Structures are given as structure tokens and as C-alpha cells.
């Protein structure tokens, strides 16, 4: 079965004022797979990730040129409902960014924002999202307690549950395990394997071993350019670019 492309960049440039942060990016992201974006600090991988749900709009002077589509529709076209785009393309950040409210209210926040008022519907969404994020059994008896009382790994899984509560199609993860201990990291990596049957996941990571473990496809960025992309197995075993090989073997970065 041919894989479906859900997000596609063609000739994508991104500028911060007069600084060009991305140069002519051509990249297809297939549905219901994990795509890892790797490369040294400042290479453009997080900038590209933030283009996908227009988080760069929040940075003064940021502007995109070229084509970036979601289901064939231009993400940066005039008239795009950015709030709806961000519902469909959710994001989990490097550090847990929970609201200072209960575990339940953190997960219910998004659905309420989108007009869900029924208590039964909210209860169902909260439980379903917490189960999907593999944290339900740890918190089901303390849903009314402050979310900030959870451990770091639990907080990050709660952030994933909060993102899933609004039923996105895509989940963007920007270094989402870099602040966590190895056990929590392993839990989230295991979770990604379960989530990709229902969601498209795009993961920025500095950890090449993590990319090799969890991703189906990998894209290597360097200096604001996409050097190469392909199946993770192929890219790690037979990189086509000497720059990719040099990065993977630790000669720079």
C-alpha cells in the first residue's frame, strides 16, 4: 500500500527579519509514521517543526516563503484558521508546560476551548486521552489534584494527553524527552510506537540513538538546509551524503 503524504514542503524558506533560517526545504511527511528531524544545534530542525503549525507566527519578523501544505492545502495561505490548524497539528514542547490547575482541567482545557460543555463528554475525553498517553492508571484517583505535583515524566505524558484531547491528526514533539530521566524517556518512546497507528508524529531530537529507535523516517538538517531524508534504516546504514555520514559518526555536531 502506497504511503500517504500528509505534510509537504517545496522550496520552503523561513526568515527571521533579514536572517534566512531555512533554505529551500523539500520534504514529504507520511501519515501515521514517526518522522525524526536530526542535526546539530541551530541547524533549522526546530524552526521547520514550528512552521508545520505556524508557531513561528509568534516570533516578530518571522516570514515563510515557498510552499507548505497539509492535505494539499497551503498552511500559510491567507484566511487559514490558525487556531484550527493548531488543533489538527498539536505540539509537545521540550519542557512540560502544564497549566497551574488540576490534572483533569489540563486535559479538558482544549475541548472546552473548542466548545465542549457536556460533563459526560469531557469525562470521556479526559479518560480516553490519559489512557492514550499511558498515564491513566497513575492518575485516575487524583484527577482533581494539581498537575504540577506530578513527576517530570508524568507531566510530559500529561502534556501529550492534553494535545490528544482535541483529536489532532499530527503530533509535533520538540525535544520532548531531553529533560527527562532514562526511564521516563523509555516510557515515552514506547508510547510513540503505540500512537503512530493513529497519529502522524514529527519528532525533533538531538539523540541519534532515539531517532534510530523510534522513527520510520529521518531527515538530517544542517545550516538551515535539508541535507537528506529517507527511511531511518537506510539513512543510518547507508547515508548518501558525506555530511550525513560525518554527523552520524560523530565527526562534527
Amino acid at each position: 500500500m502506497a504511503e500517504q503524504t500528509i505534510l509537504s514542503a517545496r522550496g520552503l524558506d523561513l526568515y527571521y527579519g533579514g536572517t534566512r533560517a531555512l533554505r529551500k526545504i523539500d520534504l514529504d511527511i507520511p501519515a501515521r509514521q514517526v518522522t525524526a528531524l536530526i542535526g546539530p544545534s541551530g541547524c533549522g530542525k526546530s524552526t521547520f517543526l514550528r512552521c508545520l503549525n505556524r508557531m513561528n507566527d509568534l516570533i516578530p519578523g518571522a516570514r515563510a516563503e515557498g510552499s507548505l501544505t497539509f492535505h494539499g492545502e497551503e498552511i500559510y495561505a491567507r484566511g487559514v484558521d490558525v487556531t484550527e490548524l493548531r488543533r489538527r497539528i498539536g505540539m509537545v514542547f521540550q519542557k512540560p508546560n502544564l497549566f497551574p490547575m488540576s490534572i483533569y482541567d489540563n486535559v479538558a482545557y482544549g475541548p472546552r476551548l473548542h466548545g465542549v460543555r457536556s460533563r459526560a463528554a469531557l469525562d470521556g475525553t479526559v479518560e480516553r486521552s490519559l489512557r492514550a498517553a499511558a498515564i491513566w492508571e497513575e492518575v485516575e484517583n487524583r484527577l482533581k489534584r494539581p498537575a504540577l505535583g506530578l513527576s517530570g515524566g508524568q507531566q510530559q505524558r500529561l502534556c501529550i494527553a492534553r494535545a490528544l484531547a482535541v483529536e489532532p491528526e499530527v503530533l509535533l514533539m520538540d525535544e520532548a524527552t531531553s529533560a527527562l530521566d532514562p526511564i521516563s524517556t523509555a516510557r515515552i518512546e514506547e508510547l510513540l510506537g503505540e500512537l503512530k497507528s493513529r497519529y502522524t508524529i514529527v519528532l525533533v531530537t538531538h539523540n541519534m540513538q532515539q531517532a534510530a529507535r523510534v522513527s520510520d523516517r529521518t531527515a538530517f538538517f544542517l545550516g538551515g538546509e535539508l541535507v537528506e531524508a529517507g527511511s531511518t534504516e537506510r539513512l543510518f546504514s547507508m547515508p548518501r551524503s558525506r555530511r550525513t555520514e560525518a554527523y552520524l559518526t560523530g565527526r562534527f555536531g
Side-chain angles (χ1 to χ4, degrees):
M1 189 174 69
E3 63 185 29
Q4 174 199 359
T5 295
I6 190 169
L7 289 153
S8 183
R10 290 291 178 272
L12 179 68
D13 293 330
L14 194 285
Y15 294 87
Y16 295 125
T19 302
R20 191 179 187 183
L22 293 176
R23 297 172 177 272
K24 302 297 179 196
I25 305 299
D26 291 340
L27 182 62
D28 291 331
I29 294 173
R32 296 188 180 184
Q33 293 188 28
V34 178
T35 298
L37 311 181
I38 66 170
S41 296
C43 68
K45 56 189 186 294
S46 289
T47 296
F48 177 75
L49 189 79
R50 290 195 298 267
C51 288
L52 298 176
N53 69 347
R54 289 184 51 170
M55 289 297 287
N56 286 320
D57 289 13
L58 304 174
I59 301 172
R63 75 180 193 281
E65 296 179 0
S67 174
L68 183 60
T69 61
F70 178 44
H71 289 298
E73 301 289 327
E74 288 288 346
I75 287 174
Y76 281 91
R78 286 187 179 181
V80 168
D81 183 338
V82 178
T83 300
E84 175 64 9
L85 176 72
R86 292 179 187 152
R87 184 195 68 75
R88 296 174 70 190
I89 305 178
M91 194 161 193
V92 178
F93 296 91
Q94 181 172 2
K95 294 181 180 177
N97 58 339
L98 295 172
F99 304 130
M101 51 180 71
S102 71
I103 293 168
Y104 182 100
D105 288 337
N106 264 275
V107 182
Y109 184 88
R112 283 173 173 150
L113 202 63
H114 290 279
V116 178
R117 293 288 176 264
S118 158
R119 180 69 188 211
L122 287 171
D123 286 352
T125 295
V126 168
E127 179 174 347
R128 189 168 56 251
S129 302
L130 291 169
R131 284 188 183 278
I135 192 175
W136 169 254
E137 293 179 357
E138 296 166 53
V139 301
E140 62 177 311
N141 296 318
R142 46 176 172 159
L143 295 177
K144 293 302 180 185
R145 294 186 188 173
L148 297 175
L150 297 173
S151 70
Q154 289 174 322
Q155 286 190 28
Q156 196 64 301
R157 278 183 285 143
L158 185 56
C159 287
I160 293 171
R162 187 177 64 188
L164 298 180
V166 294
E167 300 180 1
E169 295 174 58
V170 180
L171 194 59
L172 309 179
M173 305 187 76
D174 193 0
E175 297 277 0
T177 62
S178 66
L180 303 180
D181 63 87
I183 293 174
S184 297
T185 296
R187 292 289 302 273
I188 289 178
E189 288 184 3
E190 184 181 348
L191 176 59
L192 295 182
E194 298 165 9
L195 291 176
K196 74 176 183 182
S197 65
R198 286 168 286 161
Y199 306 95
T200 301
I201 298 169
V202 188
L203 173 77
V204 165
T205 180
H206 273 104
N207 185 329
M208 287 183 284
Q209 289 76 25
Q210 181 175 72
R213 283 192 300 267
V214 306
S215 70
D216 302 288
R217 296 179 61 79
T218 297
F220 171 52
F221 284 75
L222 185 64
E225 298 178 6
L226 176 62
V227 177
E228 69 173 296
S231 78
T232 297
E233 184 179 7
R234 197 276 305 159
L235 189 138
F236 275 83
S237 61
M238 293 185 294
R240 291 175 181 148
S241 166
R242 289 183 178 179
R243 290 184 293 171
T244 309
E245 184 181 8
Y247 181 69
L248 293 175
T249 55
R251 276 178 271 168
F252 72 89

